[in-house]
Amino acid sequence: SARHDGPSTPRVLLMGARRAGKSSIQKVVFHKMSPHETLFLEPTNKLVKNDIANSSFVQFEVWDFPGHVDTTSAAVKPELTFGGCSALVWVIDAQDDHAEALARLQATIGTAYRINPSIVFEVLVHKVDSFSEDQRIECQRELQAHLSEELTAARLQHVKVNFHLTSIYDHSVFEAFSKVVQQLIPQLPTLESLLDILVASCRIEKAFLFDVVSKIYIATDSSLVDMQSYELCADMIDVVIDVSCIYGLGEGADDGTGSTASNCVITLNNGTALFLREMNRSLALVCILKESVMQQQGLLEYNCASFRKALGELFRLPNQPK
Ligand code: GDP
């Protein structure tokens, strides 16, 4: 029972073999389940379509296919399934035998690509938490080489497939979903330059624009992302949003500056400060900066307000067709 909301609702399909970790990923990323609770998840046996929480900025759906369903068979209604789909995320259990997963992935890519050549393919090499750094690299390299052989044999060597090493026990799965989601946001280049301007004018070291519900970052400035900075900022969201949900101003409260939302500065013991401003109900800006820079908080506030205004204008615009 597919519902068509038009092109403004990007659809993400989550597929992979049974027990690969699809439900766990979805529960951890979008429903704040703690990773250990996933041990008791029932395997997915039905085709489940999940609308991600409405309060989330990223309005996308995850279709959780049971492992045994042939994703290329008529029963899946490939035209419908892949036709309106923006990204296909395929989960491979890195700890399991890869041969079957790869064969099915290649078949799925073939079908999906023929129906919809603009679809973005993403592979999560998942459950790598027990792997050493070398094992991770080797595992991804091997999978990439195998898939590329299979795609070449199927004359699909030009299809681009992105790989991510993930685990629900750290932030890697959030990082991977951030990258997936960013490709589905047509305004991304503009967002990135807005963040670059903000960072440069306030001497910020790193700025992330977060989807508060999922803790996926939908954009960041163009300096390199290191995992630790991302984790710091993601943890800050948890702390601040949870505290302000309990103790904060009610929805719609306005202090006259146009900000109705959570604001917070946390100073760390190494001279670094974390600065959070909620942009609207679903987005928060989190910055890492030197504590000394916080002395010019007025400048920071001014530039954040400009950024919020630009953001509002950017997302009021209708989505441009690709
Ligand atoms: P699905 O059938 O693809 O939806 O798979 P599930 O989400 O039910 O996951 C199957 C099992 O894998 C569960 O026992 C999860 O706890 C486990 N699992 C999921 N993700 C990870 C991970 O990143 N690392 C590890 N070690 N186990 C995981």
Side-chain angles (χ1 to χ4, degrees):
S1 60
R3 186 168 50 91
H4 285 282
D5 292 332
S8 60
T9 313
R11 259 172 60 201
V12 173
L13 302 190
L14 192 63
M15 295 187 188
R18 186 183 261 176
R19 308 293 292 162
K22 303 177 296 295
S23 317
S24 307
I25 290 172
Q26 195 199 323
K27 291 282 192 302
V28 169
V29 175
F30 298 104
H31 302 284
K32 291 188 187 289
M33 185 184 271
S34 88
H36 299 281
E37 289 174 74
T38 66
L39 289 171
F40 312 110
L41 283 176
E42 296 289 320
T44 313
N45 288 314
K46 299 192 296 268
L47 202 121
V48 188
K49 197 197 85 175
N50 288 290
D51 277 310
I52 302 307
N54 267 336
S55 54
S56 167
F57 169 79
V58 185
Q59 298 289 321
F60 69 107
E61 300 171 7
V62 175
W63 286 38
D64 197 356
F65 281 84
H68 61 275
V69 170
D70 181 356
T71 51
T72 62
S73 78
V76 171
K77 302 197 182 71
E79 300 287 339
L80 208 67
T81 307
F82 302 117
C85 160
S86 320
L88 170 57
V89 177
W90 188 277
V91 185
I92 291 186
D93 182 343
Q95 301 178 6
D96 201 16
D97 178 49
H98 307 147
E100 204 200 321
L102 276 174
R104 292 188 49 191
L105 171 57
Q106 179 264 310
T108 307
I109 290 177
T111 306
Y113 181 80
R114 267 184 286 277
I115 293 169
N116 178 5
S118 68
I119 199 166
V120 175
F121 296 103
E122 308 281 343
V123 173
L124 304 189
V125 182
H126 190 56
K127 306 193 195 179
V128 292
D129 33 273
S130 60
F131 286 26
S132 71
E133 195 51 39
D134 285 348
Q135 285 174 314
R136 292 177 188 206
I137 293 166
E138 179 54 27
C139 180
Q140 176 175 338
R141 200 200 54 75
E142 190 195 311
L143 283 168
Q144 251 169 329
H146 252 102
L147 181 66
S148 131
E149 267 170 39
E150 298 227 14
L151 288 177
T152 305
R155 296 173 181 275
L156 292 166
Q157 63 277 8
H158 52 282
V159 178
K160 185 165 179 283
V161 183
N162 304 311
F163 280 72
H164 312 267
L165 291 158
T166 56
S167 159
I168 53 169
Y169 290 98
D170 59 32
H171 285 84
S172 56
V173 71
F174 293 91
E175 169 84 19
F177 265 90
S178 297
K179 292 192 175 142
V180 171
V181 164
Q182 283 172 24
Q183 298 178 73
L184 310 181
I185 301 174
Q187 298 92 338
L188 186 68
T190 316
L191 263 183
E192 285 175 346
S193 26
L194 286 172
L195 286 165
D196 276 340
I197 294 169
L198 177 74
V199 163
S201 50
C202 299
R203 291 194 291 145
I204 291 168
E205 295 187 349
K206 190 72 196 156
F208 292 100
L209 186 63
F210 274 95
D211 176 38
V212 173
V213 170
S214 60
K215 286 186 292 165
I216 284 171
Y217 67 91
I218 68 157
T220 182
D221 63 280
S222 54
S223 70
L224 274 180
V225 176
D226 80 279
M227 223 34 171
Q228 239 191 331
S229 311
Y230 170 69
E231 288 175 19
L232 258 179
C233 294
D235 289 345
M236 184 175 186
I237 299 242
D238 264 353
V239 173
V240 175
I241 303 302
D242 286 354
V243 170
S244 65
C245 281
I246 300 168
Y247 301 107
L249 300 169
E251 228 174 84
D254 196 326
D255 58 9
T257 62
S259 69
T260 56
S262 304
N263 299 324
C264 183
V265 178
I266 297 179
T267 310
L268 307 179
N269 60 11
N270 60 356
T272 304
L274 299 175
F275 176 88
L276 180 147
R277 284 292 172 273
E278 231 176 329
M279 292 285 117
N280 60 31
R281 280 176 59 210
S282 53
L283 295 175
L285 175 72
V286 187
C287 304
I288 301 182
L289 65 180
K290 287 261 176 302
E291 196 190 344
S292 54
V293 178
M294 283 305 301
Q295 286 161 4
Q296 294 181 304
Q297 192 164 348
L299 180 70
L300 205 52
E301 299 294 358
Y302 176 80
N303 282 295
C304 279
S306 308
F307 178 77
R308 176 194 281 140
K309 190 158 166 271
L311 198 63
E313 280 160 15
L314 195 57
F315 288 104
R316 220 168 288 130
L317 298 172
N319 280 343
Q320 301 296 316
K322 275 204 188 142

